[in-house]
Amino acid sequence: MDQEGAAEHSSFDYCPWDFARGASSAQRAAQAERQRALTATGARLGPRCFVSAAAAVFADVLSLGADSYIAGYAYVTGEVRAGRDCSVNPYATVRGRVTLGDGVRIGAHASLLGFNHGFAPEEPVHRQPLTSKGIVVGDDVWIGSNVVVLDGVTIGDHCVVGAGAVVTKDLAPWTIAAGNPARPLRDRRGPTGPNGRGRSDGPGGPGGRSRSDEQGGASRAADPDAAGGAGGARTRTPGAEQGDALAEFAERARTQAAAVLARCWNDDTGRYADRPGAAPTVRAHCDAVEIADLLLGAPPEQMTAVEHAERLRVLQDPASGLVPELAPGGLPGVPAAPAEDGWIEDGAAEYHVLSVGSALELLGSRFAHPVHAVDRMTAGQLVARLDALPWGTRAWTAGAWVDCWATGAYRNRELKKGTSGGSGALEALFGWLGTRVDPWTGMWGTASAPSEGRLQLVNGYYRLTRGSFAQFGLPVPWPDRVVDAVLAHARDPRWFAEGRQNACNVLDVAHPLWLAGRQTRHREDEVRAWAGEQLVSVLRKWHDLAGFGFGPAGEGGSGPGREPGLQGTEMWLAVVWLLADLVGTADRLGYRPRGVHRPEPGGSPAFSRPGQRPS
């Protein structure tokens, strides 16, 4: 290569964001060959990725989402998985088990070290084994130059880590941190965003991209097809238009959130109902807490956080640990008699393990008692009950039971500092699930008849994985097959034609696609297209000052119906985030679910605000 060609090639090693617009045909061919060599070793590289020939990439596992790059002289080894729009800038080091979300910017000379040496005194260090807890970095994170992130650290979404920091402990979402060791300085949202939950439009923030790779900011220029030349007009892309629509919707919902909640509050009973004229319910109170947290970042104004929490805590039955539906007059309910294994067959009480536990956590509180119905169940009793669930006829019911039991186990671990269930019961659950999954669908159970489609199967999969794999932060088996099964179901006009969607059915497709999409890019364009179509439809369903209606009744007449109410509003707000994240525009919403439908595993720093501690 002549001197001019060598200089051009060197500029892309340091400025890979220019490659898409400035590379010659020969340079594009060389990059394609570089990527073919990597994929031949098992790497997965999304569209428009760039991996510098000058980067030392010796990874056992390498997965890069679309529009991600590794710049020259970076050092990458181990198991490295990155989402879309991620950058590893010049001379950065990424080693060990490292997982990056979407939009992560790693500045020059930074080091993410997802492994460690043993250093017990009785052996020389070089003879001791390596350990690896792994590093997890959320979405939209800016890691500045010369930052060091140590093994076992989780950095929540939207964080900014200042140059030269040494990160030794988890960082909650939206944290700006710096120093050695790194300490939180402030919340990135600051006082200027809408209701304190706005987004930064500074370098590396979701509102704009900076090319200042020296500080690890967003350093890849926008798609050249989306912008004119110097001084030219900027063309609006469909994605940008959809992002604007999301931002407008979110601001509209925030402005009306207090009215939506007040509409469903009854001063006489001191309780929430799903909608005016309906009976008060436990779930309605929990939905109100989640809606307020999503849109306002505060508890519903009808009571203080402490009052909300106490109103919910007293509803828990101390003997079983379940939360029955309210008795007449809004008093705590009385549970039914338990079965031989101690379980209480009560669908509402089972769901309240999810909804009340999440609402309490959002309020900075927790259950007053363990979920004894879970805690006292032995591994043998659990396996017997799992075997007896109606997997062949009502997989949705079976998945919902697993969701409740696993969530009860998770809540008990909170109360008991890491132990839950009878001896080995939680391990038995995951062992049973691991040996019963269908490798053809990646799911549990079967569709009872071809004419009935996959509704039971897919909706049961959502409930099962929400409480188990997703909540405990474990990878789902057979993610490619899951995507195939879910997309086939998503084409069924009985549930997804315009006017026939309800919040439950769309959620139960969006979440599995999102969850599997954390492990695979299989059929990514089809997933994004489906999510975009649904998103356009969902945004039209908002009723001013009333929120979302659930939609047409589900199978067996389930759901509160089309009238706007708290359940529909809470569920559709979560659905909107999931669909927007599948499309790649969730940052425009300015909110992220943190309750029942949160995307993060339980206990993730993405679940807590800086400084928040449960009481």
Side-chain angles (χ1 to χ4, degrees):
M1 183 178 293
D2 59 23
Q3 186 173 1
E4 181 179 354
E8 290 175 353
H9 182 79
S10 177
S11 74
F12 298 138
D13 291 335
Y14 290 96
C15 307
W17 52 88
D18 287 333
F19 183 86
R21 292 185 298 176
S24 66
S25 298
Q27 289 162 343
R28 293 180 191 277
Q31 177 61 201
E33 182 58 34
R34 166 72 159 152
Q35 295 195 24
R36 275 194 294 272
L38 288 170
T39 56
T41 66
R44 298 173 65 92
L45 305 177
R48 300 175 300 282
C49 283
F50 175 87
V51 181
S52 168
V57 179
F58 307 111
D60 300 317
V61 175
L62 177 64
S63 176
L64 299 181
D67 301 303
S68 295
Y69 61 76
I70 300 175
Y73 310 101
Y75 181 28
V76 179
T77 69
E79 299 178 11
V80 178
R81 297 174 175 87
R84 299 184 292 269
D85 296 296
C86 290
S87 64
V88 180
N89 279 301
Y91 299 99
T93 296
V94 182
R95 302 190 64 198
R97 283 199 300 123
V98 179
T99 301
L100 310 177
D102 295 332
V104 177
R105 326 303 287 174
I106 300 174
H109 298 280
S111 295
L112 279 67
L113 306 174
F115 72 101
N116 208 342
H117 274 282
F119 52 89
E122 61 271 10
E123 287 282 350
V125 169
H126 75 274
R127 293 181 178 173
Q128 298 196 35
L130 295 178
T131 60
S132 179
K133 298 177 181 178
I135 292 170
V136 178
V137 180
D139 297 339
D140 176 39
V141 173
W142 178 0
I143 297 174
S145 294
N146 291 295
V147 166
V148 177
V149 182
L150 298 184
D151 188 34
V153 165
T154 295
I155 298 177
D157 294 342
H158 312 297
C159 285
V160 175
V161 184
V166 178
V167 186
T168 62
K169 296 181 179 179
D170 294 350
L171 297 178
W174 297 101
T175 299
I176 296 178
N180 181 5
R183 292 181 175 86
L185 301 179
R186 63 182 177 88
D187 188 303
R188 177 179 150 194
R189 290 165 290 192
T192 59
N195 296 309
R197 297 170 70 83
R199 57 189 178 87
S200 165
D201 285 329
R209 294 183 182 235
S210 162
R211 296 178 62 182
S212 58
D213 67 302
E214 272 300 307
Q215 294 301 315
S219 47
R220 184 181 54 84
D223 187 334
D225 293 332
R234 187 173 295 275
T235 303
R236 300 294 292 160
T237 65
E241 292 174 1
Q242 191 169 68
D244 291 344
L246 284 169
E248 292 168 7
F249 159 76
E251 185 57 29
R252 181 180 172 195
R254 282 191 195 92
T255 302
Q256 300 178 21
V260 170
L261 297 171
R263 172 178 178 264
C264 299
W265 169 258
N266 188 317
D267 279 325
D268 295 331
T269 63
R271 296 286 185 186
Y272 293 93
D274 181 72
R275 55 203 179 279
T281 62
V282 174
R283 177 167 184 167
H285 193 161
C286 299
D287 288 336
V289 171
E290 295 221 23
I291 292 165
D293 181 81
L294 274 174
L295 297 178
L296 303 175
E301 64 183 12
Q302 285 73 28
M303 292 181 282
T304 67
V306 172
E307 290 170 333
H308 278 291
E310 287 308 308
R311 189 70 62 91
L312 290 170
R313 279 164 60 92
V314 300
L315 300 178
Q316 187 183 24
D317 171 48
S320 66
L322 299 180
V323 182
E325 189 52 87
L326 296 173
L331 297 174
V334 178
E340 187 175 336
D341 61 4
W343 194 258
I344 294 175
E345 305 289 353
D346 182 336
E350 290 174 358
Y351 190 81
H352 295 158
V353 174
L354 284 62
S355 59
V356 176
S358 293
L360 287 172
E361 194 162 5
L362 292 174
L363 294 165
S365 185
R366 58 180 51 154
F367 279 129
H369 311 283
V371 183
H372 293 302
V374 170
D375 192 51
R376 294 168 182 161
M377 186 172 284
T378 67
Q381 290 172 327
L382 174 64
V383 169
R385 184 165 279 270
L386 290 169
D387 287 339
L389 289 172
W391 299 103
T393 56
R394 299 196 313 280
W396 193 349
T397 299
W401 190 90
V402 172
D403 190 2
C404 170
W405 193 95
T407 301
Y410 171 74
R411 294 297 170 198
N412 289 345
R413 284 166 63 91
E414 287 184 319
L415 288 172
K416 295 189 171 189
K417 296 183 173 19
T419 62
S420 177
S423 176
L426 187 58
E427 293 81 1
L429 171 67
F430 284 104
W432 191 96
L433 294 173
T435 56
R436 301 305 197 281
V437 63
D438 182 351
W440 292 104
T441 62
M443 299 185 177
W444 292 265
T446 58
S448 56
S451 61
E452 296 183 10
R454 298 174 176 85
L455 183 70
Q456 284 280 336
L457 187 65
V458 173
N459 287 18
Y461 177 86
Y462 161 67
R463 288 296 306 274
L464 183 152
T465 54
R466 191 219 71 87
S468 56
F469 291 90
Q471 186 158 233
F472 285 89
L474 299 174
V476 295
W478 306 105
D480 287 10
R481 297 298 177 90
V482 170
V483 172
D484 290 339
V486 173
L487 284 178
H489 170 59
R491 292 194 295 267
D492 193 327
R494 290 174 292 181
W495 316 112
F496 300 102
E498 185 61 38
R500 295 185 180 181
Q501 309 104 315
N502 67 36
C504 183
N505 292 341
V506 179
L507 171 68
D508 294 4
V509 166
H511 188 274
L513 290 176
W514 186 93
L515 186 61
R518 307 302 284 179
Q519 299 171 228
T520 179
R521 298 296 178 184
H522 182 56
R523 300 176 68 179
E524 182 180 36
D525 290 343
E526 295 173 69
V527 170
R528 186 180 294 114
W530 181 87
E533 292 169 3
Q534 293 296 320
L535 197 54
V536 170
S537 175
V538 172
L539 295 184
R540 293 197 295 259
K541 299 180 188 298
W542 178 266
H543 298 259
D544 281 334
L545 303 177
F548 284 114
F550 175 84
E555 189 178 55
S558 61
R562 296 178 184 271
E563 183 182 347
L566 296 179
Q567 181 178 338
T569 301
E570 185 277 321
M571 293 184 72
W572 280 119
L573 285 172
V575 168
V576 167
W577 187 91
L578 287 165
L579 294 174
D581 202 54
L582 288 170
V583 172
T585 53
D587 59 293
R588 300 299 304 277
L589 288 168
Y591 73 76
R592 186 182 184 95
R594 301 192 321 123
V596 171
H597 303 116
R598 65 182 179 239
E600 283 80 23
S604 164
F607 186 68
S608 301
R609 295 192 182 89
Q612 183 186 39
R613 292 290 184 272
S615 61

